[in-house]
Amino acid sequence: MTIWICQPIPLVFILSIFPTEYQTPPHTHKQTGREMVKPWFTLILSSMLLIAMSLVHGIDQDPLAVEEWFKNLPTMTQKQTHLHFYLHDLVSGTSPTAMRVAQSTITSTSPTAFGFLAMADDKLTTGPEPNSTVVGRAQGIYGSACLEESGLLMTMNLVFTGGDYNGSTLSLLGRNAVFHPYREMPIVGGSGVFRMARGVATAKTHDFNLTSGDAVVEYNVMVVHY
């Protein structure tokens, strides 16, 4: 498996790939410095963005590359990866990361708020502190799916944004009994570096504010992948 690392691209190299006429715009009138710079600067900027986009993920996602990856699958060695991070679920304040989007006719009277649904884009960090290094986002839906206790149905994509896992994802689907000390949920798939992933995510509440509803949850994720 090839891991691509995005490196700064020298300006001299970028200029070298453009024809001379783009590097030096034709003079139809006396041009100001700004007018002379604008055409080729736009091309350079566009090229840098295109090159960066192709390198941003940890693995080539071009359809032909994906097909070749699957052809090589029988000869690949299975890997095991342990991930540890903290999820910050903020439902209060001026910048919440999870918001209720629907509820049932009995949600307001149910002791477990049965039937409510929330859409989340929660921050994943290396530590429990709000200013810890961000390593990704937990994006998806969770909702109350139990009438007898606080049990959430979790359908989340763990989207990683840094290091070797940049651009890769893990898909989580399971039951989260939020007041249990530990909650085990299946990892049912992945993308990028985590193609064909399967495993287990174990959640443990680090902090829960009964007044605001905000929570910080510690996650340990074990996955096997290729």
Side-chain angles (χ1 to χ4, degrees):
M1 182 180 295
T2 301
I3 302 297
W4 291 4
I5 301 175
C6 187
Q7 298 285 353
I9 303 166
L11 181 61
V12 172
F13 168 77
I14 296 172
L15 285 172
S16 69
I17 67 176
F18 291 116
T20 305
E21 59 268 24
Y22 290 127
Q23 297 181 32
T24 307
H27 289 63
T28 56
H29 66 284
K30 188 176 181 180
Q31 295 178 306
T32 65
R34 181 177 297 178
E35 290 173 329
M36 293 175 65
V37 168
K38 186 176 180 180
W40 63 264
F41 177 78
T42 302
L43 288 170
I44 290 173
L45 183 60
S46 299
S47 178
M48 290 176 70
L49 288 172
L50 288 172
I51 294 172
M53 286 171 64
S54 68
L55 299 179
V56 70
H57 297 289
I59 190 170
D60 191 353
Q61 294 183 328
D62 179 87
L64 292 177
V66 173
E67 183 178 353
E68 186 66 23
W69 186 90
F70 271 92
K71 289 179 180 178
N72 295 327
L73 186 59
T75 63
M76 292 182 186
T77 302
Q78 195 174 77
K79 303 178 181 68
Q80 180 175 292
T81 299
H82 175 211
L83 301 168
H84 177 251
F85 51 81
Y86 291 82
L87 181 151
H88 299 255
D89 189 58
L90 306 180
V91 298
S92 67
T94 57
S95 300
T97 59
M99 298 187 67
R100 182 176 297 196
V101 295
Q103 64 180 37
S104 71
T105 55
I106 65 168
T107 297
S108 59
T109 57
S110 168
T112 62
F114 180 80
F116 94 85
L117 287 176
M119 184 71 71
D121 184 12
D122 291 338
K123 185 168 60 174
L124 305 179
T125 65
T126 56
E129 302 81 12
N131 59 351
S132 295
T133 301
V134 177
V135 296
R137 314 288 298 194
Q139 299 172 336
I141 296 174
Y142 62 81
S144 177
C146 185
L147 288 166
E148 297 177 352
E149 67 170 337
S150 295
L152 301 179
L153 168 65
M154 304 280 288
T155 306
M156 306 290 284
N157 288 316
L158 305 176
V159 183
F160 299 100
T161 57
D164 293 339
Y165 308 132
N166 180 33
S168 298
T169 68
L170 288 171
S171 296
L172 181 152
L173 175 63
R175 182 177 187 267
N176 185 356
V178 295
F179 292 118
H180 289 197
Y182 293 98
R183 290 88 71 186
E184 184 178 295
M185 292 166 280
I187 298 294
V188 297
S191 68
V193 172
F194 296 121
R195 283 177 186 160
M196 309 289 288
R198 61 190 186 279
V200 171
T202 303
K204 178 184 179 182
T205 301
H206 175 81
D207 181 64
F208 178 65
N209 189 314
L210 287 172
T211 302
S212 67
D214 295 343
V216 178
V217 183
E218 181 180 11
Y219 272 81
N220 281 279
V221 180
M222 293 296 302
V223 292
V224 292
H225 57 101
Y226 293 92

